[in-house]
Amino acid sequence: PLCRDALGRPRIEGDAAWTSLSHAAGWIAVAVDTHTPVGIDVEPTSRAPALEEVVDRVVHPDERERVAGGCGQAR
């Protein structure tokens, strides 16, 4: 069963794993990890120009190189 932690993030009851859930434009993504917190986000390609404006605020520095020039492209 799913529950929410103190910050409202979805968790598997009993803290068996960290989870993240995102959905947009008919797509859904789920991430699950038993060792560390995870995060995932799905956005429609129509929002790609807006995402490029906020990437520095929402993407970890280690991931920026992989994201550069790739907003809105499936990987």
Side-chain angles (χ1 to χ4, degrees), residues 4-72:
R4 295 199 177 268
D5 68 10
L7 296 175
R9 297 176 296 202
R11 296 290 306 270
I12 295 175
E13 194 171 282
D15 293 331
W18 296 92
T19 63
S20 183
L21 169 70
S22 181
H23 59 89
W27 290 88
I28 186 167
V30 178
V32 179
D33 195 300
T34 58
H35 301 290
T36 188
V38 293
I40 194 162
D41 190 30
V42 174
E43 296 291 342
T45 56
S46 62
R47 293 206 47 215
L51 297 176
E52 290 174 1
E53 295 173 10
V54 299
V55 71
D56 287 337
R57 290 184 288 164
V58 299
V59 176
H60 189 277
D62 293 345
E63 298 174 313
R64 287 186 187 143
E65 185 176 324
R66 287 185 287 173
V67 171
C71 288

